[in-house]
Amino acid sequence: MFRYDRAMPQRRPHRVAVLALAGLLPFELGIPHRIFGRAKDPETGQRLYETVTCGLAPGPVPTDADFAVDVAHGPEALATADTVVVPASYELGPVYDEGRLTDELAAALAHIRPGARLVSICTGGYVLAAAGFLDGRPATTHWASADHFQRRFPSVRVEPDVLFIDDGDVLTSAGVAAGIDLCLHIVRRDHGAAVANEVARRTVVPPHRDGGQAQYIRRPVPEPRLATTAGARAWALTRLDEPLQLRDLAAREAMSVRTFTRRFREEVGVSPGQWLTHQRVERARQLLESTGLSMDEVARRAGFGTAQSMRQHVQAALGVPPTVYRRTFQGNGTDARPRA
């Protein structure tokens, strides 16, 4: 859902601090730098974020690979951050085993200023939970750790299947690639779909996977010579403004409706109807942000048919009606912040 807070125009790049802990996964450490580092103002070309890495102390931080990362900043960098990101670590010690922070980690987190946005990737959520930031809130982590996470932190409302959860000022994601989804979501939330889509294009990743999409898809990579639904999806994306029936999609892959529906859910994690509605909401979102088209025309181009139908679907997906969403991204000084 979307929450609207009045905000002053930003005079400097939004500062992101990434907390590197011993045993970190280098891939996840690099996600915030890659995604936020590529986000630029489409008019001026200026970077929208400044990303720094910090540790519990300056110096080398061991990773789960055969190399260490030399971190220049200590925990004092957290005090300057608008957003703090905690990637996963395989050496969380008492955080993982007992659900408590070490004195050193607690002292580091104490630098975080009130109002800073908190983000975790994968098991980085254990750190936020042990610090009490997730008490009474919905959160997620890697599906393989979800049961343990819930047992260790019973006050957290763990949702084990989703890619990420946006709870306003605290956001958590599932493992590895879900961190990309969450960081792109944050860019989209802060600056709109056009900026996020450009970052995704340069990173060569899908521009948007919804937070509610399942983490674990039974057949994410098709077996050799096995028919897939990818062609039908690509075909549908070029015809969102047309009435599309399930039988039309199935016919593109020469499958029965029953086989196509089963295969689609195995590959994508949602039903064809859910996927199609989501794609139409995304098309409407982009048109609302970037054009002055009437609501009727946006609805037509997005495939909803009528403005009323579009309003119902956009309201359900984003938590606000299309007119309010449009105002957010056309310069009236408000800040859209989705809440799960």
Side-chain angles (χ1 to χ4, degrees), residues 39-263:
K40 297 182 180 180
D41 186 301
E43 296 182 0
T44 67
Q46 293 182 335
R47 293 187 183 276
L48 297 169
Y49 300 89
E50 175 190 10
T51 307
V52 298
T53 303
C54 64
L56 298 182
V61 178
T63 72
D64 77 327
D66 62 345
F67 58 85
V69 175
D70 192 12
V71 175
H73 303 282
E76 63 280 355
L78 297 175
T80 69
D82 302 301
T83 293
V84 174
V85 181
V86 184
S89 166
Y90 284 154
E91 298 179 16
L92 291 175
V95 174
Y96 184 87
D97 297 330
E98 305 170 33
R100 66 173 180 86
L101 301 175
T102 63
D103 291 343
E104 187 179 24
L105 183 52
L109 297 178
H111 285 85
I112 299 174
R113 64 179 180 81
R117 180 166 56 190
L118 304 176
V119 178
S120 68
I121 301 175
C122 193
T123 57
Y126 278 77
V127 175
L128 299 187
F133 293 125
L134 300 182
D135 288 351
R137 288 178 177 255
T140 194
T141 188
H142 192 288
W143 60 267
S145 299
D147 288 343
H148 178 271
F149 188 81
Q150 184 66 90
R151 292 194 304 272
R152 187 64 67 232
F153 305 105
S155 63
V156 180
R157 304 200 309 271
V158 179
E159 298 186 22
D161 299 325
V162 300
L163 289 177
F164 61 82
I165 291 178
D166 180 339
D167 196 39
D169 57 347
V170 179
L171 302 92
T172 55
S173 74
V176 195
I180 299 176
D181 297 308
L182 178 54
C183 288
L184 282 171
H185 168 78
I186 291 171
V187 174
R188 185 179 301 106
R189 163 178 145 167
D190 290 347
H191 301 287
V195 173
N197 289 350
E198 180 61 19
V199 174
R201 189 172 72 88
R202 290 185 174 275
T203 311
V204 197
V205 296
H208 185 61
R209 289 197 299 169
D210 185 69
Q213 185 167 323
Q215 285 189 41
Y216 178 73
I217 300 173
R218 189 172 300 277
R219 187 179 292 142
V221 179
E223 298 171 6
R225 297 182 298 279
L226 185 67
T228 78
T229 63
R233 280 178 271 137
W235 177 79
L237 287 175
T238 65
R239 294 166 173 80
L240 289 178
D241 60 331
E242 302 175 8
L244 296 174
Q245 302 297 323
L246 182 55
R247 62 175 178 270
D248 299 327
L249 297 172
R252 297 296 303 179
E253 304 293 359
M255 297 181 190
S256 69
V257 168
R258 181 177 180 181
T259 298
F260 179 84
T261 300
R262 184 184 72 252
R263 188 69 49 76

